[in-house]
Amino acid sequence: MFESLPDEAVPRAGLSTTAVVDAALAVIDEQGAEALTLAAVAGRTGVAPPSLYKHVAGLAELRMLVGARVMDEMTERFTAAAMGRSGDEAVAVLMRGYRDYVRDHPARYAALPPDPLHNPVMVAAGTRLLQVFLATLRGYGLTDSGAIHATRCARSIAHGFVSIEAGGGFGLPEDLDETYEQLIAMFVASLPRPVAP
Amino acid sequence: MFESLPDEAVPRAGLSTTAVVDAALAVIDEQGAEALTLAAVAGRTGVAPPSLYKHVAGLAELRMLVGARVMDEMTERFTAAAMGRSGDEAVAVLMRGYRDYVRDHPARYAALPPDPLHNPVMVAAGTRLLQVFLATLRGYGLTDSGAIHATRCARSIAHGFVSIEAGGGFGLPEDLDETYEQLIAMFVASLPRPVAP
DNA sequence: GTCACCCGGCTATTGCTCATAGCCGCAAAG
DNA sequence: CTTTGCGGCTATGAGCAATAGCCGGGTGAC
């Protein structure tokens, strides 16, 4: 008897929705986000393209599932990295973790759809990711909307730098670590001083 | 006799490379960056798709030409906006101008290729754009590499915020103007105080 | 033990895209 | 008037997503 996955039943051998997403991630890692094609995924899973439709509604849905998976990976990493830290140090660790994830998986980050809010699955994943940032900013005594603005700032800074870096958009020889640390310092300096617990 | 454009000769009536790029921009404005297709451009110019190859090497080159055109538009706007200003005010005007351009032409900005340095035409356009920022930062007494780092910071912040905003990535109701002004203030505060001329 | 059902593969087909090859006609230059 | 070449065209091929509909085998009902 097989172990029954909580995700979805495994009636026969072969594919499943999560296996298709796994294959999609492998294709993205190896050939880039642009190369994510049903034919490529089918080839990698040893199956004819139409068979994928038994597990995924189409290319658009597959991209959404991949996006949600990537955001969950980020959430997991950030949660682990920020564990046991607080204040400026936690913020800095979070920002560096963001960049590190994208350097480890540049193609996966590039595969994130630009319009994440159009799909409930991605909204859920995005909300989980948001919570990590909001939790880290707790303790700075920010008002609710103040925390939202601060989180948006952090996201803008991290996403901006990291997407330019991943695209090879920084052409000059100056050290990129230095630029990013400067951005982190700039953001941290803009926060109110943490209040005592 | 026709007026001879400096760009390229107009031997007959009809198309030219710049006319094709114009049509491409119209397609992007009306149907989004994803809809930029040779068939769409051909349809809009009243021509069969293969005819476009007489003016453009293919879809990839067309995208590059569009990207360069967009960057030049930005350069032009920023130059005009920063004219006659200096210091913190010039920096703020530049950052706001960046966001305004993208709000005026969200699809054009989204059409910018993520890897601009792979094409000499785009490198040239990017260099011109860079000069505007570097010129604005003159007067802060930054060292050469200090100016580079500061420019990268400004670009990261502006690109990050603006690309998330254009993609509809900010879901919460808090005022986006306020967030962006906060980012500008954060960046300005990180600069050394301007030195007297 | 048998049988019907359904699940998860498949082939075949359609329609869209980029891209190439090669033809043809007009218009200006001489 | 002829020549030349530019700027259109048709025809064709390859790769892709997506749909329709077939088929075989395992599972569970009886």
Side-chain angles (χ1 to χ4, degrees):
Chain A
M1 187 196 234
F2 287 110
E3 48 183 6
S4 64
L5 296 179
D7 179 16
E8 78 179 26
V10 267
R12 188 108 110 243
L15 256 42
S16 67
T17 299
T18 68
V20 170
V21 175
D22 289 343
L25 285 173
V27 169
I28 288 170
D29 285 339
E30 290 169 11
Q31 310 176 44
E34 306 300 310
L36 176 58
T37 192
L38 288 180
V41 174
R44 162 168 281 272
T45 54
V47 137
S51 307
L52 297 176
Y53 285 86
K54 290 288 158 74
H55 305 281
V56 153
L59 184 60
E61 183 183 289
L62 179 56
R63 277 200 269 248
M64 287 300 175
L65 292 172
V66 165
R69 176 87 141 255
V70 167
M71 291 182 79
D72 282 342
E73 281 183 357
M74 294 177 73
T75 301
E76 191 180 356
R77 274 178 73 141
F78 298 171
T79 303
M83 190 85 78
R85 303 178 201 261
S86 69
D88 296 352
E89 191 190 354
V91 170
V93 160
L94 228 51
M95 301 274 288
R96 292 193 197 103
Y98 199 108
R99 183 181 176 216
D100 287 341
Y101 178 84
V102 180
R103 285 201 290 188
D104 288 349
H105 307 289
R108 294 189 188 189
Y109 189 75
L112 283 174
D115 52 347
L117 300 186
H118 287 178
N119 184 287
V121 178
M122 296 224 49
V123 170
T127 303
R128 289 191 289 273
L129 188 45
L130 175 64
Q131 295 310 318
V132 180
F133 278 84
L134 287 178
T136 302
L137 287 178
R138 249 194 295 282
Y140 279 94
L142 289 165
T143 70
D144 291 338
S145 84
I148 299 294
H149 288 300
T151 301
R152 282 177 178 170
C153 288
R155 173 147 89 111
S156 297
I157 291 169
H159 168 72
F161 179 90
V162 139
S163 61
I164 296 172
E165 182 183 31
F170 292 126
L172 299 174
E174 269 75 12
D175 186 24
L176 286 169
D177 294 358
E178 193 173 329
T179 303
Y180 198 62
E181 288 301 322
Q182 200 167 312
L183 278 166
I184 294 174
M186 178 185 312
F187 175 67
V188 165
S190 78
L191 293 171
R193 287 306 79 208
V195 302
Chain B
M1 188 193 234
F2 287 110
E3 47 184 5
S4 64
L5 297 179
D7 179 14
E8 78 180 24
V10 267
R12 185 109 111 246
L15 256 41
S16 67
T17 298
T18 69
V20 170
V21 174
D22 289 343
L25 285 173
V27 169
I28 288 170
D29 285 340
E30 291 170 11
Q31 311 176 43
E34 307 300 310
L36 177 58
T37 193
L38 289 180
V41 174
R44 162 168 280 272
T45 55
V47 136
S51 307
L52 298 176
Y53 286 86
K54 291 287 159 72
H55 306 280
V56 153
L59 183 59
E61 184 184 290
L62 179 56
R63 279 199 268 248
M64 287 299 174
L65 292 172
V66 165
R69 175 86 139 256
V70 167
M71 292 181 81
D72 281 342
E73 282 183 356
M74 294 178 74
T75 303
E76 191 180 356
R77 274 179 72 141
F78 299 170
T79 303
M83 189 84 77
R85 305 178 200 262
S86 68
D88 296 352
E89 191 191 353
V91 169
V93 161
L94 227 51
M95 302 273 289
R96 292 193 197 103
Y98 199 108
R99 184 180 175 217
D100 287 341
Y101 178 84
V102 179
R103 285 201 288 190
D104 288 349
H105 307 290
R108 293 190 189 190
Y109 190 75
L112 283 174
D115 52 345
L117 300 185
H118 288 175
N119 184 288
V121 178
M122 297 223 48
V123 170
T127 303
R128 289 190 289 274
L129 187 45
L130 174 65
Q131 294 311 317
V132 180
F133 279 83
L134 285 178
T136 303
L137 288 177
R138 247 193 297 281
Y140 281 95
L142 289 164
T143 69
D144 291 338
S145 84
I148 299 295
H149 288 299
T151 301
R152 284 177 176 168
C153 289
R155 174 148 86 110
S156 298
I157 292 170
H159 168 71
F161 179 90
V162 140
S163 61
I164 295 172
E165 181 184 30
F170 292 126
L172 299 174
E174 268 76 11
D175 185 25
L176 286 169
D177 294 357
E178 193 174 330
T179 303
Y180 198 61
E181 287 301 323
Q182 200 167 313
L183 278 166
I184 294 174
M186 179 185 312
F187 175 66
V188 165
S190 79
L191 294 171
R193 289 304 80 207
V195 301

